[in-house]
Amino acid sequence: MEDMQPSQLAGKDYKEYKLKYFEGNTRTVLVIDKEVPYPDGKLIVSRTDTKANITHANQAFIEMSGYTEAELIGQPHAILRHPDMPAVAFKDVWDTLGQGKKWQGYVKNLRKDGTYYWVFATAIANVRNGVVVGFTSVRRKPSRDRVNECIPLYAELRAKEV
């Protein structure tokens, strides 16, 4: 993953964050405080390998992320990580999937242009001949009431991490 550049952004009023990822990598992200509404009637679908690198992105995912398909394939799914998302949320994702269970939750994603969008995500393991070969995530339009509940909760969890 490369650092975000101001030339990619949908505006000039942005904040810069340095994110540290689970595997130890870091990335500079540039964030604009502007939400892109989730489109009605669309499902965002992606698949990853066991290391969470994107192997498939449907058209809705490409459109909402702002990246091209070529820019997404092979990248860690964390390319969409918004700095408002607490690390404990992603720990819960991997702990749940590691137990062979389905994970569901609300996620704030960062677009290539620095804006963001919320999703209600469901993630499951892809199992072939008894072996986990990757993961599939399906995202749908989130409940605005639930998003509004997540905002202060995620801020509280983030404050405990710093």
Side-chain angles (χ1 to χ4, degrees), residues 13-32:
D13 188 21
Y14 63 87
K15 290 185 181 178
E16 183 174 314
Y17 298 87
K18 187 76 140 187
L19 294 183
K20 184 174 181 180
Y21 297 96
F22 178 75
E23 68 282 351
N25 294 334
T26 60
R27 177 180 183 224
T28 299
V29 296
L30 308 175
V31 177
I32 295 173

Side-chain angles (χ1 to χ4, degrees), residues 70-142:
E71 291 172 317
L72 289 168
I73 301 301
Q75 290 296 315
H77 211 285
I79 194 170
L80 301 173
R81 182 173 169 199
H82 193 286
D84 287 351
M85 285 299 300
V88 69
F90 298 109
K91 181 181 183 325
D92 183 56
V93 171
W94 292 111
D95 287 350
T96 301
L97 291 172
Q99 296 169 15
K101 298 178 184 174
K102 171 177 70 174
W103 180 88
Q104 291 186 310
Y106 289 82
V107 179
K108 185 177 186 178
N109 284 325
L110 180 63
R111 293 169 39 95
K112 180 181 178 180
D113 67 5
T115 60
Y116 67 90
Y117 61 102
W118 282 91
V119 299
F120 178 66
T122 301
I124 60 168
N126 299 329
V127 180
R128 303 289 180 268
N129 299 318
V131 176
V132 174
V133 297
F135 303 95
T136 296
S137 180
V138 177
R139 278 85 75 202
R140 50 188 54 84
K141 186 171 186 164

Side-chain angles (χ1 to χ4, degrees), residues 139-159:
R139 278 85 75 202
R140 50 188 54 84
K141 186 171 186 164
S143 154
R144 181 47 53 182
D145 289 341
R146 292 300 305 264
V147 166
N148 291 339
E149 292 171 9
C150 288
I151 292 169
L153 172 63
Y154 288 1
E156 180 182 329
L157 292 170
R158 286 281 303 147

